[in-house]
Amino acid sequence: MTSRTEIPATGTGESVFARPHRALTCGVILSVGLVAFESLGIATVLPEIAGALGGLDSYGWGLSTLMLANIVGTVAAGRSADRTGVRRPLLLGLVVFTMGCLLAGAAGNWPLFLAGRAAQGLGVGAIMGMAYTVVGLAYPERLRARMFALLSSAWTVPSLVGPTLAAWIADVADWRGVFLLMLPLTAAATVLVLPAIRRFGRPNAPDAAQDGPWWQGPVAASCALTAATAVLLWALSLRSLLLLVVLALAGLAVALAALRRITPPGTLSLRPGVGAGIVVRGLLCGVYFGSEAFIPLGLTELRHLSPTQAGLGLSAGALAWVAGSALQARQDARTAEDGRGRGRVQGVALGCAVLLAGVLITALAMLLPAVPALLAVVGWAVGGLGMGVAFNAATTDTMEQAASGQEGAVSAGLQLAQTLSTAVISGAGGAVIAIAHAHGSTTRAALLCVFAVTGVLATLGVLASRRLRPRTA
């Protein structure tokens, strides 16, 4: 069982920046900010990269590849954290992320670029999974909502400068410079985070006899889930209806079987508590990141905005997310302890509804020529506000219900739901675009389908929020 930590939770630690927590807080926030900068920057220039490397018809794979590899990184890091502590998986994640940046930045064709994105995904999965594990282990309950809000706030500076800086680099130099910029930032994050995580105690040694063969373990299951999901997404782009159905059903069956093995019990049945919290996380991220993946493409291809202007939408959404997260954290702190669970459930339902409104506004501004294109920026700010409220409330409540010693597994489950839903929605959206082009339809029609799906997922999020807490709680 994983020990909580050796960092004391004394009365002097009422702030996450108080002396017992200061170094750890800064290191974790910097690591998350690094991922945020890469995410927003690459998303802004991805249409240009796909065009330069001949990958426009498989545009969705530019994000799906990273997210599918993220699954393996998340599960492997969560497993390692519960067995050996967080230091090793976090350090390895930073190293692999750096190697992925080098490979993607030097790629001369689309397949090699996707290989670099896969390496980045492995690193991102470990970094983000360990960030939430650290919060669950190292901070007392009264500080966790605040720390989760700060993790969202780690996107603030990247939101302001990431899209604009990436677009500027692509305009005046080359898109490869965006990846090269990540190298010194990753080195700085590694140097700062290592001293802080050395304070963590090692968990108790697990019973090796309980592990079973490696092919029955969670890492093997995560690889099977990744491969099956990739087959499912690839099948959606096939022209042969028979082959499409056979491969899609086979991929779906294997993916569900693997998913059952690597998520906490009750996840697939939406069991009230941790299981429902993981599903809600997946719905939220499918809506937000699945929609956001196509905002730069829609604004540049359909409304003919520059990459810099299109990046404003991503910045607005991320900044509003931070604001929504801070509002939820403040509300959480003001609520009496016995009413926090109910307040968080209400926050998730409200946040999902606001996120749905943001998706609708953004889609109208992107798809209807009569609507001002920059209204999409406002719409995505609305969506980001709802996402911040719902994401913070759902994450805090789910982690608080994690059993002692299972914090790493629950954190990995949350991150897995996020990456899998993002990969599926973005990959399916890319397949829809390819199908539309192959049959003489338009990008506009394909994006209409994408936003219709994310709108339905937001509605399901409102309904699923009722199951975040068991009735007896």
Side-chain angles (χ1 to χ4, degrees):
M1 183 173 66
T2 306
S3 59
R4 272 282 175 187
T5 181
E6 294 180 354
I7 301 177
T10 63
T12 61
E14 290 299 326
S15 167
V16 295
F17 290 104
R19 186 172 182 179
H21 308 294
R22 184 182 303 139
L24 182 61
T25 298
C26 293
V28 172
I29 290 175
L30 182 59
S31 298
V32 174
L34 173 70
V35 173
F37 187 92
E38 189 276 342
S39 175
L40 293 167
I42 299 305
T44 302
V45 298
L46 188 58
E48 180 176 345
I49 297 173
L53 299 180
L56 196 57
D57 282 341
S58 54
Y59 176 85
W61 286 101
L63 183 61
S64 292
T65 301
L66 182 142
M67 290 298 170
L68 290 174
N70 199 328
I71 294 172
V72 179
T74 297
V75 175
R79 176 71 168 171
S80 178
D82 286 338
R83 291 168 60 92
T84 65
V86 301
R87 183 174 182 269
R88 182 182 299 175
L90 182 55
L91 177 60
L92 187 59
L94 288 166
V95 172
V96 174
F97 177 77
T98 301
M99 295 173 61
C101 290
L102 284 170
L103 182 57
N109 55 62
W110 187 244
L112 192 58
F113 174 78
L114 294 182
R117 295 291 280 169
Q120 285 184 290
L122 290 171
V124 168
I127 294 169
M128 294 301 295
M130 290 306 93
Y132 286 98
T133 301
V134 164
V135 175
L137 290 173
Y139 296 85
E141 181 178 344
R142 64 184 179 275
L143 295 180
R144 288 178 199 155
R146 175 60 177 161
M147 192 59 197
F148 284 131
L150 283 175
L151 290 186
S152 295
S153 299
W155 293 68
T156 304
V157 173
S159 300
L160 288 171
V161 304
T164 302
L165 180 59
W168 178 79
I169 292 174
D171 287 341
V172 304
D174 189 81
W175 56 264
R176 302 178 192 277
V178 181
F179 290 97
L180 297 179
L181 181 62
M182 304 304 300
L183 302 182
L185 297 178
T186 308
T190 304
V191 169
L192 290 175
V193 78
L194 281 182
I197 59 178
R198 282 181 182 144
R199 297 186 180 184
F200 281 89
R202 291 177 61 86
N204 297 331
D207 184 358
Q210 298 178 357
D211 290 346
W214 67 267
W215 61 84
Q216 296 179 359
V219 176
S222 69
C223 293
L225 174 61
T226 298
T229 305
V231 169
L232 172 62
L233 295 177
W234 175 66
L236 296 178
S237 62
L238 297 177
R239 296 191 179 188
S240 170
L241 181 60
L242 177 61
L243 193 57
L244 185 156
V245 172
V246 170
L247 289 178
L249 290 178
L252 181 62
V254 174
L256 289 176
L259 191 61
R260 185 181 296 275
R261 291 169 56 191
I262 58 177
T263 53
T267 298
L268 296 186
S269 61
L270 200 66
R271 180 186 301 172
V274 169
I278 291 174
V279 173
V280 168
R281 173 75 161 261
L283 291 172
L284 282 170
C285 294
V287 176
Y288 187 86
F289 294 112
S291 300
E292 188 179 65
F294 297 94
I295 290 177
L297 179 65
L299 291 179
T300 54
E301 294 291 321
L302 302 182
R303 304 309 303 269
H304 307 295
L305 299 183
S306 68
T308 302
Q309 291 173 316
L312 291 176
L314 306 189
S315 296
L319 290 173
W321 180 334
V322 172
S325 182
L327 287 174
Q328 175 59 31
R330 181 177 300 180
Q331 179 63 32
D332 195 273
R334 290 177 176 176
T335 305
E337 184 174 352
D338 58 354
R340 284 177 180 167
R342 182 176 59 195
R344 290 167 186 159
V345 171
Q346 295 171 346
V348 173
L350 176 61
C352 287
V354 175
L355 178 56
L356 173 60
V359 169
L360 295 177
I361 295 171
T362 303
L364 289 175
M366 185 183 302
L367 302 176
L368 297 182
V371 178
L374 290 179
L375 185 62
V377 176
V378 178
W380 206 233
V382 172
L385 183 66
M387 182 64 172
V389 171
F391 188 93
N392 191 353
T395 300
T396 304
D397 207 54
T398 304
M399 288 300 297
E400 282 193 3
Q401 296 182 71
S404 179
Q406 294 298 311
E407 296 91 351
V410 173
S411 176
L414 290 169
Q415 189 65 19
L416 172 63
Q418 174 173 332
T419 54
L420 181 61
S421 61
T422 304
V424 170
I425 298 302
S426 58
V432 170
I433 292 175
I435 292 172
H437 291 171
H439 292 82
S441 188
T442 63
T443 301
R444 191 183 306 274
L447 292 181
L448 176 61
C449 294
V450 172
F451 283 98
V453 170
T454 56
V456 171
L457 295 180
T459 304
L460 292 177
V462 176
L463 300 176
S465 65
R466 302 175 184 177
R467 303 178 67 85
L468 281 170
R469 282 265 166 170
R471 292 184 181 228
T472 54

